[in-house]
Amino acid sequence: MSEEKKSDISKSNKKRGSLRVLTGTVVSNKMRKTIVVKVVSTKIDKKYKKVINVSKKYKVDCQNEKMYPEGTVVRFVYCRPISRWKRWRVLKSNYNY
């Protein structure tokens, strides 16, 4: 019994180490210390087998929203809850100054 519990614990620790990193484009930077990032992903319809683009918007925490103008490609990572809607933090930007 104890061996089974140890193996379950080791499996759960492997999952905890991975970071959730997403890439998207900045849609809005009008809030203080927050930007809205749109992530587009592709999915296949089960019935018709058609490729569909699905988009989702995330509110991302950043120190200076002026550093990320609209249209900038940004990488961001999941973190602890910062506010009611913000659970993501900016990693880096591909914007050239």
Side-chain angles (χ1 to χ4, degrees), residues 1-96:
M1 284 262 203
S2 63
E3 292 175 11
E4 292 176 8
K5 289 181 183 178
K6 288 180 182 177
S7 64
D8 291 338
I9 292 170
S10 64
K11 288 178 185 176
S12 65
N13 286 341
K14 289 179 184 177
K15 292 179 186 176
R16 291 179 65 192
S18 61
L19 294 175
R20 292 181 7 193
V21 179
L22 296 175
T23 305
T25 57
V26 177
V27 177
S28 173
N29 63 350
K30 296 176 183 173
M31 293 177 274
R32 246 180 85 216
K33 295 188 178 182
T34 304
I35 56 175
V36 180
V37 180
K38 182 178 180 181
V39 176
V40 179
S41 60
T42 57
K43 302 213 177 198
I44 298 176
D45 186 82
K46 290 182 182 179
K47 185 175 181 180
Y48 298 110
K49 309 294 189 249
K50 184 177 179 180
V51 178
I52 301 168
N53 288 330
V54 180
S55 63
K56 186 172 179 182
K57 292 181 183 178
Y58 295 94
K59 290 193 171 94
V60 181
D61 181 58
C62 64
Q63 295 302 317
N64 185 4
E65 68 278 355
K66 304 298 181 201
M67 287 178 55
Y68 307 102
E70 293 182 11
T72 306
V73 178
V74 173
R75 291 185 70 200
F76 54 100
V77 64
Y78 188 79
C79 64
R80 63 178 176 79
I82 298 167
S83 68
R84 182 178 176 189
W85 302 112
K86 289 198 299 188
R87 279 136 177 78
W88 300 88
R89 187 171 292 148
V90 172
L91 272 182
K92 69 176 188 176
S93 167
N94 295 340
Y95 183 70
N96 295 327

